[in-house]
């Protein structure tokens, strides 16, 4: 954890990439304390915000691909064994969390790799059931990139905005405060989107039945 703290305190394009890679595997790295502070520094002219979003998304893609490969090649028994192990618990992982991500994936299909990237507690694990189900990697990486890119844009916008309203000494506290509101809004938006597609699918199905 000392290494993670050092990386978090020395944010640049390289460390943002590494931290977002780790965040997308099973290492407990809070992405809001990576992308938002980096964007905060970008607003001060020290970094480029678009490059931050790019490297953060590429890091997330690589980390998600590692989880995808683990699910694809190792399978459920080994994944569960790791989740229940001491190392899994050190990564704040357990079988219940893996099962929760599996349920979300199987309930929502391939698009879950997009929407799941926006949901806390599922975001970094949704790639595992995608790999278990042998989802086409091309679709997987496309949806993952869209989902991760959207999330990183939101976090970057937050950091950029905070640069104009709070000193750096208060940054992390404000990020934590705003992040809770953002998570609530995103979850609500995802639920509404899923309901919309379910209702649309049901209406189309009924029309086919009666046509």
């Amino acid at each position: 954890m000392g290494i993670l703290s050092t990386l978090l305190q020395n944010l640049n394009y390289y460390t943002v990439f590494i931290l977002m890679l780790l965040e997308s595997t099973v290492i407990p790295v809070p992405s809001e304390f990576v992308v938002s502070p980096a964007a905060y520094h970008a607003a001060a002219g020290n970094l480029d915000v678009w490059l931050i979003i790019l490297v953060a998304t590429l890091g997330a893609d690589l980390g998600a691909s590692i989880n995808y490969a683990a699910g694809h090649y190792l399978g459920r028994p080994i994944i569960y064994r790791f989740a229940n192990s001491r190392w899994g618990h050190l990564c704040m992982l357990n079988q219940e969390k893996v099962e929760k991500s599996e349920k979300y994936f199987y309930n929502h299909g391939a698009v879950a790799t997009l929407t799941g990237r926006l949901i806390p507690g599922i975001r970094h694990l949704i790639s595992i059931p995608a790999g278990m189900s042998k989802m086409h990697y091309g679709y997987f990486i496309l949806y993952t990139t869209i989902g991760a890119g959207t999330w990183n844009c939101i976090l970057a916008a937050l950091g950029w905005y905070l640069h104009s309203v709070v000193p750096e000494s208060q940054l992390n506290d404000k990020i934590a405060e705003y992040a809770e509101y953002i998570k609530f809004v995103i979850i609500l938006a995802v639920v509404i989107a899923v309901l919309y597609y379910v209702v649309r699918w049901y209406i189309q199905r009924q029309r086919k039945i009666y046509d």
Side-chain angles (χ1 to χ4, degrees):
M1 299 305 283
I3 296 175
L4 290 180
S5 297
T6 300
L7 291 174
L8 286 167
Q9 291 168 11
N10 297 276
L11 290 174
N12 53 48
Y13 303 123
Y14 174 75
T15 55
V16 167
F17 176 83
I18 294 297
L19 287 165
M20 293 305 291
L21 184 160
L22 295 175
E23 189 267 348
S24 283
T25 56
V26 294
I27 308 298
V29 179
S31 56
E32 57 267 33
F33 293 110
V34 178
V35 179
S36 293
Y40 184 96
H41 294 305
N46 300 322
L47 297 169
D48 184 285
V49 70
W50 296 110
L51 279 178
I52 290 168
I53 293 170
L54 176 62
V55 298
T57 303
L58 290 175
D61 282 347
L62 182 55
S65 296
I66 292 172
N67 275 6
Y68 174 92
H72 190 285
Y73 295 108
L74 298 181
R76 184 176 288 104
I78 294 179
I79 294 293
Y80 280 4
R81 195 177 307 152
F82 173 77
N84 291 323
S85 70
R86 178 172 174 269
W87 288 106
H89 292 162
L90 285 174
C91 294
M92 300 178 69
L93 193 63
N94 56 49
Q95 184 171 326
E96 182 181 356
K97 289 182 178 180
V98 179
E99 289 175 341
K100 182 180 178 181
S101 67
E102 281 192 87
K103 183 179 179 181
Y104 184 86
F105 179 85
Y106 292 120
N107 284 346
H108 299 90
V111 75
T113 55
L114 190 161
T115 58
R117 295 293 309 183
L118 303 173
I119 300 177
I122 291 178
R123 181 168 58 248
H124 65 299
L125 297 177
I126 196 65
S127 307
I128 295 175
M132 288 180 181
S133 69
K134 308 296 191 291
M135 178 183 176
H136 188 282
Y137 183 74
Y139 289 119
F140 165 78
I141 203 65
L142 172 63
Y143 291 146
T144 298
T145 299
I146 295 172
T150 300
W151 177 241
N152 291 330
C153 284
I154 292 170
L155 294 180
L158 173 62
W160 187 277
Y161 163 74
L162 289 177
H163 180 265
S164 64
V165 296
V166 299
E168 189 169 359
S169 60
Q170 299 176 18
L171 179 61
N172 285 345
D173 290 338
K174 279 296 180 183
I175 289 174
E177 178 184 336
Y178 279 87
E180 291 303 314
Y181 295 116
I182 291 173
K183 289 174 184 177
F184 175 78
V185 171
I186 287 176
I187 292 173
L188 181 61
V190 169
V191 169
I192 291 173
V194 169
L195 287 175
Y196 167 77
Y197 283 108
V198 168
V199 170
R200 192 177 73 168
W201 170 83
Y202 179 78
I203 291 173
Q204 290 175 344
R205 183 170 177 271
Q206 292 300 309
R207 285 176 179 172
K208 288 181 181 179
I209 291 174
Y210 292 107
D211 284 346

